[in-house]
Amino acid sequence: MATQPPPSVVVVGSYVQDLTWRCATFPIAGQTTIGTFTTGPGGKGSNQAIAAGRAGADTLFVGAVGTDAFAAVAEAFYRENGIAARFVPKPRHATGTAAILVNDEGQNEIVVALGANGVLARADLPPALFAGAKVVVTQLETSLAAAAHALRSGRRAGAITVLNPAPMRTDFDPALLKLADILIPNETEFVALVNQLASAANSADSIYTEAQLAAEPPARTHARARELGVPTVIVTLGKRGCLLSQANGYSLIAGHRVKAVDTTGAGDAFVGGFAAGLVEHAGDVAAAARLGQAVAALSVTKPGTAPAMPWRREVLKFLKTRA
Ligand code: RIB
């Protein structure tokens, strides 16, 4: 009997049922506004796995769910997509849920209840899951112990380890950075990381802000990225693309101009597309980032998160038009 080849990309992370309300503008405190409702599969880890799998990488998602109806949605979604998943059941916890508001400009506000994701444990991640993996990806939407264990296991298996520090948390342990070969923060997460490290070092530097990040020369951002101690740092900058920072220098990779209907999950699309690109381009991070940009650009042209991730044929067609 033929044995299945191991997956090239292993994503350990969150699965969440997204509950999304669209409204013209976000309500202010005390205000009620009328909108429309949809629901579907989401969660940063799962979105990344779906993006990587649809972009063409043989992918395995590993995460925790409850034993409720939302868990059944998760299983069915992965079956329909033909992407491998290992859902660890946590009968005493609910499947994670997110309340997402999306306004007419496609921007979002999110509250996540981690539920089962928060109790994903080291014991749920045996070494066999990582055997043969080329890229291991994790984020901060599970227990932090599980995230650290995933990165350690990836290293042991000889994979490239990728940490997406999302959502950034006050209990984030900077020791996690030592386990990552590649760190992919967005602007908010990058600013928070820089400030956290400065405060741990009792630095007299004033608080770094997103406004400063937007205004400063890229060489300054690169210098700040070097302080994080991760060999490759990719700061995603929304429409502006991303900054790729490595010991030998930095480069800016432009984003694609598209008409955005929903930017929720764009960062996940980038990370998943990037992971698939790392496999496709044998570890070439710039080429992988370009694939990530294309996947992210296409993802924002459709509503929703995981269901909005583009398939490989769409990405290739898009790249042809942008060449
Ligand atoms: O990054 C977008 C995701 O964040 C959503 O799918 C939601 O589930 C939250 O986890």
Side-chain angles (χ1 to χ4, degrees):
M1 206 168 72
T3 51
Q4 284 280 93
S8 307
V9 174
V10 176
V11 181
V12 174
S14 54
Y15 177 86
V16 167
Q17 180 76 24
D18 284 350
L19 307 162
T20 304
W21 287 264
R22 284 202 81 109
C23 46
T25 52
F26 296 133
I28 56 165
Q31 186 189 6
T32 300
T33 192
I34 295 196
T36 56
F37 175 75
T38 49
T39 184
K44 294 183 191 301
S46 177
N47 294 342
Q48 293 170 12
I50 294 292
R54 286 189 176 183
D58 197 354
T59 301
L60 169 69
F61 171 70
V62 187
V65 289
T67 48
D68 45 28
F70 290 153
V73 173
E75 302 262 6
F77 186 65
Y78 272 80
R79 259 196 317 277
E80 281 160 24
N81 278 268
I83 296 172
R86 182 186 172 115
F87 290 107
V88 182
K90 299 286 180 183
R92 298 175 60 189
H93 297 267
T95 298
T97 46
I100 305 179
L101 299 186
V102 180
N103 70 10
D104 274 355
E105 286 167 45
Q107 297 163 324
N108 62 73
E109 291 183 347
I110 306 179
V111 180
V112 184
L114 294 186
N117 297 297
V119 290
L120 184 69
R122 292 189 186 99
D124 299 324
L125 306 170
L129 290 178
F130 302 90
K134 295 194 168 71
V135 180
V136 170
V137 181
T138 197
Q139 334 67 30
L140 306 180
E141 218 174 36
T142 61
S143 75
L144 297 185
H149 187 71
L151 294 174
R152 240 180 253 118
S153 304
R155 277 262 165 94
R156 265 187 224 122
I160 301 172
T161 57
V162 179
L163 173 64
N164 169 228
M168 194 52 200
R169 294 164 50 159
T170 48
D171 57 350
F172 176 75
D173 178 357
L176 217 53
L177 297 176
K178 295 196 171 59
L179 301 171
D181 298 318
I182 302 177
L183 179 74
I184 310 183
N186 67 11
E187 293 127 304
T188 315
E189 293 143 10
F190 181 68
V191 162
L193 280 168
V194 169
N195 285 328
Q196 199 189 43
L197 262 68
S199 124
N202 288 323
S203 150
D205 288 357
S206 56
I207 299 287
Y208 179 46
T209 64
E210 284 185 54
Q212 275 172 279
L213 165 60
E216 72 192 6
R220 182 75 188 103
T221 312
H222 166 59
R224 294 186 197 274
R226 290 299 85 218
E227 295 296 311
L228 299 178
V230 180
T232 297
V233 178
I234 301 177
V235 187
T236 57
L237 302 167
K239 283 182 202 155
R240 293 191 292 142
C242 63
L243 180 129
L244 166 56
S245 164
Q246 293 181 299
N248 59 357
Y250 73 90
S251 59
L252 284 167
I253 300 177
H256 299 281
R257 296 264 157 202
V258 289
K259 188 170 165 19
V261 300
D262 183 356
T263 58
T264 321
D268 303 332
F270 177 85
V271 173
F274 174 79
L278 274 183
V279 175
E280 183 170 339
H281 300 288
D284 178 337
V285 283
R290 282 191 287 274
L291 189 70
Q293 294 285 22
V295 171
L298 284 167
S299 75
V300 305
T301 63
K302 293 181 196 156
T305 53
M309 299 304 168
W311 291 90
R312 184 171 177 77
R313 59 177 180 281
E314 297 172 76
V315 179
L316 295 180
K317 193 171 158 199
F318 178 77
L319 283 171
K320 258 192 203 157
T321 65
R322 303 279 162 151

